[in-house]
Every structure is written in structure tokens, then in C-alpha cells.
Amino acid sequence: MKVLKFGGSSVASPENISRIKNILSSYNDKIILVVSAFGGVTDELLKAGDLAADQDNSYKSTFQEIENRHLDTIKKLIPITNQSRVLSKVKSELNVLETLLEGAFFIGEITPKLSDKIVSFGELLSSYIISEFFVSEGLDCSYKDSRELIKTHKIGGKNTVNFKETNSNCSNYFKNAKAKIIVCPGFIASSANEDITTLGRGGSDYTAAIYAAAVDADILEIWTDVSGMYTANPKMVKQAKAIPHISYEEAMELSHFGAKVLYPPTIQPVLAKGISINIKNTFQPEEPGTLITKSKNEKGKTVRGISHIGNMALLSLEGPGMVGIPGISKRFFEVLSQADISVVLITQASSEHSICVGISADDVEKSVEVVNEAFAYEMERGRIKPVHPEENLAIVALVGDNMKSHQGLSGKMFSTLGKNNVNIRVIAQGASERNISCVINEKDVKKGLNALHEEFFEENIKQLNLFVMGVGNVGAKFLNQIKLQNKYLKKNLKLKLRVIGISNSRNMYFDEKGIDLNSWSDQLATGEKANKESFIKKVNEMNYRNSIFVDNTASHEIAETYSAFLSNSISVVTCNKIACSSEYGNYAHLKSLARTYNAPFLFETNVGAGLPIIDTLKNLIASGDKILKIQAVLSGSLNFVFNNFNDTTTFHDIVKQAQEEGYTEPDPKIDLSGIDVMRKILILARESGHVLEIEDIKNKPFLPKESLETNNNEDFFKSLIKYEDDFQKMFGDAKKNNSKLKYVAKFENGEASVGLEQIPKGHDFYNLEESDNIVLFYTERYPNLPMIIKGAGAGADVTASGIFADIIRIGNF
């Protein structure tokens, strides 16, 4: 004999009930079929009862919805020739329900006994309708009311199953039942004096387990809307996977810590009998689901699942008067128990100075009241502090049989949460060492679950969640590079890059599942109006693990937002030089935030586009070397200009070409004024450990004052034509000296300068071609022959690749 239970989602519609009939057709065994109320009906019954007790007439419309739903289901499932009898029976039961609700309305209250009666109609009606449908379809089926089989009695004020009487009733009835399929309502039972009682929310699972244990069933199958117990809640963790095989103890831990697919008491009746439980999916019956047995988990896996309980609060009892005083803990837990408050988690300081418990947030007000009353004497004398709860919390737990004595799991768990700025309020570990639990802020649950799942279950594939500001020339190249490289990264570097948000100056667009990089521009066009504050708010609200903000702009306003991201443990990657070349205090503050919140702040492209200049400098310093001198050509745009400018061209035409080919900023003055190079050498000086401001850098401009003071590009280019003779003279002087013009940045002895210089033959800068950059690092280890870094220093592709490289660095941290 097999016991099958179908939950509310499985019987939520006539179509779903038809699925159950198809599933049953594949069984040859005798079946006890336990069903829940139609999906959502239990909540509607409770709502109707509450409205009636509040003497709110709208309970009638709620009742009408319940009635219509059941009658409509009959009409859709059962042939017209058989409907009359079934409709009559169901209508009769609904009349009783209506009378009960009217009674609650007239007296203006609802007792626990009356509530049980009202809510029992969900399972009573669904099971009767389903059994009649099976009969009409020709199945060998009968109906049995669970109230006649499952008996309860009061223990501690609660309805508890009387297993001796229940087992006897079930054994006698099912042994002699003739039908192949016996349909029974879940959730409901009756007391010794025949009053209707219930087994608690989720009690249909419990009903099925009671039957399975009573008849020594071959297996208990729980059919629901997911394919078993998952490694984490699949609604929060998209990468969660069904667990093929799990032990009773692991399943109990997971169900206790919020795995709603299984009602926690369900396992208890079948555990002693060694009856396996299989969690199956009504909508994907071919899936194997999760098998729950006595055996330990396979392949020695440590963590089997990650679960959580939301809507939690912490209640702390603390004070100097607790130290060494026997009975304090007993009184604390006793007063909570007497108030019918369930304690989910307990932790106590070894100093005995405090006891902290986790309770449902719904019980906070009552808990504070009863505890403060119980310890009023000690509180008046200052021995114990008044209780102040902490709310908006959740418990996250790692579960697994093989976690016992396995070194490093706790450290791995807490380190993973810490890296993602998830603050841990309380830690607890069961004596069985089968779970490690911690209390965190409820807003961090999704991020915490995903981070832990990635760490323990995702084969070391790390997902980076990107928020990209600026999708112009560089930004577009960057997004295309991600699209082309994602498969390579996943296969070879175990990294997955997902772009969740993008923005330009007009629109911004977000997609939590990841923006399609084949059509991102179309999606952005449909987005909401761009707003810096809204963008920051949205990123922080999403609260994703491994989040990275990518700035591809040259905007002062965007550079000012970095602290808002770093202080929320969101890494920042930028090609925007403004932040790192701003006041030293701001630069130092951003670096400090990055360290404090473990959020990398990378800006390699600030100096040499895709060249590893800053990274090399960091490595030199980290290894104990000291920078003595830096000489560099750091402007790919200026190098392009002076490599192509000669006596057969005009300076105006070459600068225009550089702008059109993307070598210069949209405003070429930024490059030609030297400010861009000043920012770069300033950043290198600061990264070398020196405190320097932009004003400290000597700049020898080569542009006429009139050109520098123009207000727009049109006037600027006109001024270049006007001073063409001056530019030709500069070129001619260098040619006479057998030299080339290069715009050079220098740093030595704490001083920096930039300016146009004549570079003679034989110098490392002389043969620098096109837009290449070059940096010479003279250090204590390289005092005479410098370390040289050379390569393309301008262009959207190489800048995008530099940003990409910084993101890979973060992924490998």
C-alpha cells in the first residue's frame, strides 16, 4: 500500500485535479489518497471567519466566492448526469458553513473550536468532490472521512494525536477497504467527544504520514508544485537544485528552518517505521523528486541545503544580576512557554550575562510584556535590563548530516556573508552539529542565500552582478566584450558575468534576470528616465551579492557616487579619472571605504587604458620595492597627435582626426591642455604612497591661452587654425634637433610635472608609435634600467578591455 498526498497547489483547479487522475493511472498498488483544500481556500475560510467575528458584512461576499469556486469545479469536472447528487451534497455542507459564519457574526467573536469547524470545510469539500470525480471517470475509488479515523486529545492546551486509538482505527479500516483508491481529507481530525479538530497549517502532510505509519505503507509520496526539497528556496536562488536523496534528520532540519515543501511534524510518524518519503512534482511527474530515508547522504557531502525563516525577532535578557544566579534561564523559558510563544533559536554568552532567543515577529509584543512582568523585581533594582526586541530579522541555516566535526564550515559560511556585507547578529549551532544557524537582517536574506549557495553548491562558478553607467563608445565596447567572452569565462575562469542595470544620460533599465546583451540598446530605450539617485537606490535595494558598479563616463556627478556604493559593499570599477584625481582626502576616503567594506575599488584604466600600469605599481610596492622616479608618456591621444603632425599636415586636421577616431575626450581641450595627463601622473604618485594635489603638479602648456579659454569645440578648432604657424614652429624646432615631440609626465622626489618635450633619438620614448603609452618605473630594484610598460594607451576597445580586466580581478579575489 502507498500513501499519496496532494497539496493545495496540486488541487487548485479542475485542470490540476485532472492531472492527479492521470498520475494515479500509472499505479497498480492500493492507494490512500490524502488531499488538501483547493489552493487558497483555507486562507479564504480564515478570512471569512475573522470578518464575521468583526461583524463585518463583507464576510458574505467571501463566503460567496468560496461557494462559487466549489460549485464551478463540480460543473467542470463531473458529467451533467452525475452532477445533481454531488451539487446537492456540497450545497448542504456549504449551508452549514454559512450558518457557522452567521453565528460568529451575531456573537461578534470566534472561538478556537468554532474556527476549527469553519476551516475544516476546505478539506471536507475538496476530498468529496475529487472522490466523486474519480468515480465518474471509472476509477475504483471510495471516500473516507478522516474525522472518523484520526483522534486527538488535549495535552498542554493543544490538540495532539492520540496515536493508540488512531492507529487502531486506521489499521482496521484500511485492511478491510475494498476500493483500490481511498480518498481522505487531510488536516482534519476529531476529539473523543466528536468535536472537529485540526492538525495545524500544513497538517495534510501530517495526516498522510499518520496513515502511512498506521498501515506500514511501502512509501509516503508528498505531491506538490516543486520537484522535491531544494538546496535553497528556488524562488530566491535561481540556481537552486533538487536534492535527490536526503536523510530524515536533514529533512527535519530543513523543514524546521523554513523549507515549506514539507510540514515539520510529517517525518515523526514514519521515522520509527523506516518508511521512505518521496517529494514529487504534480506538474512534472517524470522528475524523480527527493527521496527521504534513514540512510546518510551520498558521497559524503557536507552541506545538503540552505534554508531560512523570515519574520523573526530577537529577544535578549541581560544584566549583571544574571551572572551565577541559578534558575534565570528556567524562568525565562517558562514564562515564554506559558504564553504559548515558540522559541526557534537560543544562544547564551559564556559569561551568563545574557540569554538571547529567536521568536516569531508576530509574538514580539506579547513576549516583551510577559518577560518584563516576570522579571519586574530584578528590573526595578537594575539587576536585569528591560527587554528590547530587535525586529526585521531572519534565520539562515546550513544543514547536513556530514557537517559534524568538518573543519572550516563555520568560517566559510561567515566569511562568505561578511564579504557581501551581510551583518551577522547571532550565531547558533545545534548539539548534533547538523546545522549552523545565524540571524541576519531580513533585507539581506536573498543576497545571503545566493552567496552561500554559490559558495557551497555551484561548482565554484562565481556570479558577478554588474551595474553599468555609461554605454557610449567605451560602454558599448565593454558590453560587447562581455557578450563574446561569457562562455570562456564560465568554462575557464569559473566566472559568470551578469549585467543587471545599465544607464546613459537619458534612460536607465534594470532586469534582475540579466539584460540580454544582444538587444541591450533596445531595452534601454524602453527604460525609465535616468536619475543618479534613483539608480543608486535601485542598486542598493536589489542588494545582490558580488555587485559591481562600472563607471564608463567622464562625469563629475557620477564620480561623486562611489562612496554610496562602496559603503554598501558594492565594488567600483571606473575609467573615470575624476574621483582618484580629486582632493586627496576624497581619494583616501574612497580607498578607506573599499578596505572597510571589503569592496574593491579598481581604476586601472585611469592611467593607461588597457595597460597594467597601476597593477604593476601595486605589485612592486606590495613586494617591498620603493618607487624612485616615474617617467611616462600617458596620453594616447596626444601621442597620436604628435606622431601624425608634421610639416605636410595641419595641427587642426590631426586633432580633428583624433577626436573623430575616439582617441580624445569629446572635448579635446581635456587632452591637449594637459589636465588629463596631470590627473594620470597624480594618480600614479598617490598610488606610490605620496600625498599630492593636482595644484602641486607643474604644467607647461603648449596651447595658446586663447585656445585654452574657448567655450566650445567650434571656437577651439578655429583657434587651432589661427595659431597653425606656432604649431609648425614647434615641429620645426624639434626636427632641427633630430628629435620628436612627446608630451611627458614626470614624478621624482615628491614633485610632478607635465609638458611637451623634444625627445632625442635613442630615448625610450623616441620610437613610440601611434597612440601607444609608455611608463618607466625607476625603483630601488630597478635603479638604472627601469621597468617598462608599453602598449596602446587610447581607444574604446583597449579601455573597455582594461575595465573588463579589473572586473576579472574582482572575480578572482
Side-chain angles (χ1 to χ4, degrees):
M1 184 176 283
K2 293 182 177 179
V3 179
L4 278 63
K5 177 262 176 178
F6 286 86
S9 59
S10 298
V11 296
S13 69
E15 294 76 21
N16 290 358
I17 295 169
S18 295
R19 287 176 183 269
I20 296 174
K21 188 206 78 170
N22 295 334
I23 290 169
L24 293 175
S25 64
S26 64
Y27 287 79
N28 294 318
D29 311 82
K30 194 170 183 178
I31 292 171
I32 301 172
L33 185 72
V34 178
V35 296
S36 298
F38 295 159
V41 166
T42 301
D43 288 332
E44 290 297 299
L45 287 165
L46 290 169
K47 177 184 173 183
D50 290 339
L51 289 170
D54 291 339
Q55 297 185 317
D56 185 337
N57 258 313
S58 62
Y59 84 87
K60 293 180 180 179
S61 61
T62 303
F63 167 77
Q64 193 61 54
E65 290 171 9
I66 294 169
E67 180 178 62
N68 292 342
R69 182 166 178 191
H70 287 87
L71 297 182
D72 288 346
T73 300
I74 293 169
K75 292 171 185 175
K76 290 178 180 177
L77 284 177
I78 298 176
I80 294 175
T81 52
N82 298 343
Q83 280 183 15
S84 178
R85 177 179 52 82
V86 180
L87 285 169
S88 177
K89 167 69 174 171
V90 170
K91 187 65 177 167
S92 173
E93 293 289 344
L94 287 166
N95 288 340
V96 175
L97 171 61
E98 187 174 26
T99 301
L100 293 174
L101 291 170
E102 284 177 352
F105 179 81
F106 287 132
I107 64 175
E109 70 171 318
I110 187 167
T111 63
K113 189 173 178 181
L114 179 55
S115 179
D116 276 352
K117 285 184 180 179
I118 289 171
V119 81
S120 71
F121 280 87
E123 275 72 14
L124 284 172
L125 295 173
S126 68
S127 57
Y128 173 71
I129 293 169
I130 289 169
S131 69
E132 290 295 331
F133 166 63
F134 289 164
V135 170
S136 72
E137 290 290 307
L139 273 65
D140 182 9
C141 176
S142 66
Y143 174 78
K144 183 63 177 175
D145 190 337
S146 293
R147 293 175 297 184
E148 299 171 15
L149 299 175
I150 301 178
K151 296 296 178 178
T152 62
H153 50 196
K154 292 281 186 182
I155 295 181
K158 291 186 177 182
N159 290 320
T160 306
V161 175
N162 181 338
F163 279 102
K164 184 176 181 181
E165 185 178 356
T166 297
N167 288 342
S168 175
N169 291 343
C170 294
S171 179
N172 291 333
Y173 175 76
F174 290 117
K175 186 193 302 180
N176 298 310
K178 302 299 183 186
K180 179 184 173 184
I181 301 169
I182 304 148
V183 179
C184 305
F187 180 59
I188 60 172
S190 64
S191 64
N193 57 3
E194 302 304 322
D195 286 330
I196 296 173
T197 57
T198 60
L199 303 178
R201 292 303 296 266
S204 293
D205 284 358
Y206 195 28
T207 301
I210 291 168
Y211 287 153
V215 302
D216 288 316
D218 299 322
I219 194 166
L220 167 60
E221 294 182 1
I222 307 290
W223 289 80
T224 180
D225 55 3
V226 292
S227 299
M229 299 189 84
Y230 277 66
T231 49
N233 184 341
K235 292 179 180 177
M236 288 192 169
V237 181
K238 300 302 180 186
Q239 290 78 25
K241 301 173 183 177
I243 305 169
H245 185 202
I246 196 171
S247 72
Y248 290 126
E249 289 80 7
E250 289 170 328
M252 281 193 288
E253 291 282 358
L254 284 173
S255 60
H256 173 72
F257 282 101
K260 296 180 182 179
V261 71
L262 189 67
Y263 182 52
T266 301
I267 297 172
Q268 295 166 6
V270 297
L271 177 60
K273 295 287 186 79
I275 299 168
S276 299
I277 304 173
N278 200 1
I279 312 293
K280 298 275 286 179
N281 189 341
T282 305
F283 308 98
Q284 294 177 298
E286 71 284 354
E287 293 286 331
T290 296
L291 184 65
I292 304 172
T293 66
K294 276 186 176 180
S295 63
K296 299 290 184 183
N297 69 69
E298 78 280 6
K299 298 179 182 177
K301 291 180 180 176
T302 51
V303 180
R304 301 308 311 285
I306 306 166
S307 199
H308 82 284
I309 311 174
N311 193 40
M312 296 300 299
L314 287 178
L315 205 66
S316 296
L317 188 71
E318 57 183 303
M322 293 172 58
V323 180
I325 306 298
I328 294 288
S329 299
K330 175 182 177 293
R331 287 172 59 196
F332 184 41
F333 294 119
E334 192 170 60
V335 73
L336 292 174
S337 175
Q338 289 170 350
D340 203 25
I341 294 163
S342 177
V343 174
V344 181
L345 176 145
I346 304 168
T347 183
Q348 181 172 7
S350 58
S351 64
E352 300 184 28
H353 184 266
S354 67
I355 306 170
C356 182
V357 297
I359 61 173
S360 169
D362 297 333
D363 294 328
V364 165
E365 190 174 338
K366 182 167 61 171
S367 300
V368 171
E369 182 181 338
V370 297
V371 173
N372 283 343
E373 182 180 339
F375 290 92
Y377 177 82
E378 289 87 349
M379 290 176 184
E380 285 174 7
R381 284 154 183 77
R383 295 175 185 172
I384 292 178
K385 297 177 184 178
V387 172
H388 295 290
E390 294 179 58
E391 299 184 69
N392 301 314
L393 301 173
I395 299 174
V396 172
L398 296 186
V399 173
D401 279 337
N402 291 336
M403 287 168 53
K404 186 173 183 178
S405 303
H406 195 284
Q407 296 178 347
L409 282 179
S410 298
K412 200 173 181 182
M413 176 184 185
F414 303 139
S415 172
T416 299
L417 293 174
K419 285 178 181 176
N420 286 279
N421 198 31
V422 177
N423 186 45
I424 297 170
R425 178 61 188 85
V426 164
I427 298 168
Q429 183 165 5
S432 66
E433 298 186 53
R434 195 174 283 115
N435 82 68
I436 306 170
S437 309
C438 65
V439 178
I440 65 174
N441 197 305
E442 191 146 31
K443 72 178 179 63
D444 290 327
V445 166
K446 186 174 182 179
K447 178 165 69 171
L449 289 176
N450 277 276
L452 291 171
H453 194 273
E454 181 179 84
E455 183 67 39
F456 289 101
F457 291 101
E458 293 178 29
E459 299 179 2
N460 296 320
I461 293 179
K462 187 174 185 179
Q463 180 170 288
L464 306 179
N465 298 299
L466 310 184
F467 298 88
V468 181
M469 179 69 73
V471 288
N473 202 10
V474 172
K477 297 286 187 184
F478 170 65
L479 294 176
N480 190 55
Q481 288 177 9
I482 294 176
K483 181 182 74 173
L484 296 175
Q485 285 298 104
N486 243 335
K487 285 184 180 179
Y488 173 87
L489 294 175
K490 190 172 182 180
K491 180 181 178 181
N492 294 282
L493 300 183
K494 303 299 182 185
L495 292 176
K496 181 181 178 182
L497 271 56
R498 184 174 68 167
V499 179
I500 295 178
I502 53 176
S503 180
N504 57 20
S505 59
R506 298 177 300 281
N507 292 23
M508 59 184 188
Y509 179 80
F510 295 87
D511 186 341
E512 294 192 44
K513 295 178 181 178
I515 294 169
D516 184 352
L517 297 183
N518 290 303
S519 57
W520 64 264
S521 58
D522 294 333
Q523 294 172 70
L524 180 58
T526 66
E528 58 188 292
K529 186 178 179 181
N531 180 278
K532 177 183 66 175
E533 286 73 24
S534 297
F535 191 91
I536 296 169
K537 184 180 179 184
K538 184 74 173 178
V539 174
N540 287 332
E541 282 176 352
M542 285 184 162
N543 201 23
Y544 276 109
R545 74 203 187 283
N546 304 329
S547 289
I548 304 174
F549 173 67
V550 182
D551 180 13
N552 296 318
T553 75
S555 165
H556 280 269
E557 286 189 358
I558 302 304
E560 290 170 356
T561 67
Y562 297 169
S563 60
F565 292 111
L566 294 171
S567 58
N568 277 285
S569 289
I570 296 167
S571 303
V572 173
V573 171
T574 179
C575 61
N576 186 344
K577 308 172 190 69
I578 292 170
C580 290
S581 60
S582 62
E583 295 80 5
Y584 183 84
N586 182 56
Y587 161 83
H589 177 62
L590 294 176
K591 299 277 281 190
S592 174
L593 287 175
R595 290 190 296 271
T596 303
Y597 294 97
N598 196 35
F601 173 40
L602 300 184
F603 41 89
E604 183 65 80
T605 50
N606 277 197
V607 174
L611 295 177
I613 296 172
I614 293 177
D615 194 52
T616 301
L617 176 58
K618 286 180 177 178
N619 290 337
L620 286 170
I621 294 170
S623 68
D625 206 351
K626 183 178 179 181
I627 304 299
L628 303 177
K629 181 170 63 174
I630 300 172
Q631 291 182 345
V633 173
L634 294 172
S635 174
S637 53
L638 283 173
N639 202 41
F640 175 87
V641 167
F642 286 109
N643 273 337
N644 288 279
F645 173 57
N646 54 48
D647 50 12
T648 65
T649 63
T650 67
F651 196 69
H652 165 276
D653 290 347
I654 296 302
V655 174
K656 192 71 174 176
Q657 181 185 347
Q659 183 198 39
E660 290 171 352
E661 293 186 16
Y663 290 116
T664 71
E665 299 288 345
D667 179 1
K669 279 201 306 294
I670 294 174
D671 298 280
L672 273 68
S673 66
I675 185 64
D676 186 61
V677 178
M678 290 171 70
R679 288 171 178 161
K680 291 178 178 180
I681 195 64
L682 174 66
I683 292 168
L684 289 181
R686 287 175 172 178
E687 289 294 297
S688 300
H690 293 265
V691 178
L692 211 65
E693 300 289 356
I694 195 80
E695 296 82 10
D696 299 328
I697 300 173
K698 297 175 183 175
N699 182 4
K700 297 171 279 185
F702 65 88
L703 283 179
K705 186 177 180 182
E706 181 182 333
S707 299
L708 290 171
E709 292 176 352
T710 53
N711 295 319
N712 54 61
N713 282 353
E714 185 180 354
D715 291 341
F716 173 71
F717 281 110
K718 284 180 181 177
S719 74
L720 296 186
I721 295 171
K722 180 179 177 181
Y723 290 97
E724 179 63 25
D725 289 344
D726 292 345
F727 299 129
Q728 287 294 339
K729 184 176 186 307
M730 286 191 298
F731 174 78
D733 291 344
K735 188 175 181 180
K736 285 177 188 176
N737 296 326
N738 207 19
S739 300
K740 290 184 178 180
L741 293 172
K742 302 291 179 184
Y743 199 86
V744 178
K746 296 178 180 178
F747 177 73
E748 187 175 8
N749 297 325
E751 295 184 353
S753 65
V754 298
L756 194 63
E757 294 187 10
Q758 294 183 13
I759 304 298
K761 272 188 178 180
H763 195 284
D764 291 306
F765 296 169
Y766 185 84
N767 290 316
L768 202 60
E769 298 178 350
E770 291 299 314
S771 62
D772 284 1
N773 280 2
I774 187 169
V775 178
L776 311 182
F777 286 124
Y778 291 87
T779 73
E780 288 183 345
R781 292 181 189 150
Y782 300 89
N784 300 314
L785 295 174
M787 177 178 283
I788 301 174
I789 301 168
K790 178 182 176 182
D797 268 321
V798 291
T799 302
S801 70
I803 294 166
F804 205 139
D806 273 347
I807 288 168
I808 301 306
R809 288 187 185 99
I810 291 174
N812 290 328
F813 278 175

